[in-house]
Amino acid sequence: FFSQLDKKESVHLDAGSSLNFDAILQLNPLKRKKIIIANLNPEMNCYWYDSISYVFWDLRKPLFDAGVFDTISCISVLEHIGLDNSGWTHHEKDHENNMKDYRTVVKEFRRILKPGGSCFITVPYGRRKQYGWLQVFNKSMIRHIIDTFKPKTSLVTYFQYTKNGWIYSDEHKSKNSDYSLNYLSDYTVGAKSVACLRLIK
């Protein structure tokens, strides 16, 4: 993500609050940007004194005007959309099972992104599975993201975890990757493969 993010002054949306850590927000590509962090619920980390803005927002619902953002990042978030988020919000209303709602969010990202802007999305990739609070995306779901966004250009990069750490992969090599809910001997907890998308409007 950082290797593809320009250093120009611009307006960036962190959809899902993955960047909301001081060590990350101080990194060079973000320092010159007006950053708005959107999340379902308040968090302990809050950097308003560094001019970071916060909104508490369901990403599926329109909030911003069209064409507001130069860039959008949605890192390790899309896989939770429409599913059981009550563990974070502590609200029963957020216990859902709407597995296709991620498309609504992707469509909204396109609407609020400026022409020529980039939307960065990462999701766990591999063998299709739904865990209640998270789903693993497969090849057809990655295609749905791209088809829903209708980008001018797109790039999908795959990474896979091996005994030697993270390596570049592809959709075929990673298609049977699992998601680990427990600590394993290879030190992974979570996705064994991830798909990283850059969608340019």
Side-chain angles (χ1 to χ4, degrees), residues 45-46 56 63 70 98-99 104 116 119 121 137 142 149 177:
N45 293 352
C46 181
F56 307 119
L63 178 66
D70 297 284
N98 302 309
M99 293 185 290
T104 302
C119 180
I121 295 172
F137 283 60
I142 297 298
F149 191 91
S177 294

Side-chain angles (χ1 to χ4, degrees), residues 47-110:
Y47 304 103
W48 58 268
Y49 47 83
D50 280 333
S51 298
I52 306 298
S53 299
Y54 296 85
V55 293
F56 307 119
W57 170 44
D58 184 332
L59 297 175
R60 295 170 292 184
K61 299 176 180 177
L63 178 66
F64 298 102
D65 290 337
V68 172
F69 296 99
D70 297 284
T71 50
I72 297 171
S73 61
C74 184
I75 300 173
S76 298
V77 172
L78 205 64
E79 62 267 29
H80 301 287
I81 299 296
L83 301 181
D84 183 8
N85 288 291
S86 60
W88 288 282
T89 66
H90 307 292
H91 295 303
E92 185 58 33
K93 68 178 178 61
D94 294 317
H95 191 298
E96 301 179 71
N97 187 28
N98 302 309
M99 293 185 290
K100 295 183 179 180
D101 278 8
Y102 69 91
R103 299 187 201 182
T104 302
V105 174
V106 172
K107 191 179 295 184
E108 180 62 9
F109 285 164
R110 189 185 197 287

Side-chain angles (χ1 to χ4, degrees), residues 25-33 35 50:
L25 293 171
Q26 295 302 319
L27 292 174
N28 219 13
L30 295 177
K31 287 296 289 180
R32 292 171 59 83
K33 301 188 184 304
I35 298 173
D50 280 333

Side-chain angles (χ1 to χ4, degrees), residues 1 31 39 43 73 95 114 119 129 162 185-186 190:
F1 165 61
K31 287 296 289 180
N39 200 21
E43 297 179 295
S73 61
H95 191 298
K114 292 178 181 178
C119 180
K129 193 159 184 182
T162 70
S185 59
D186 64 3

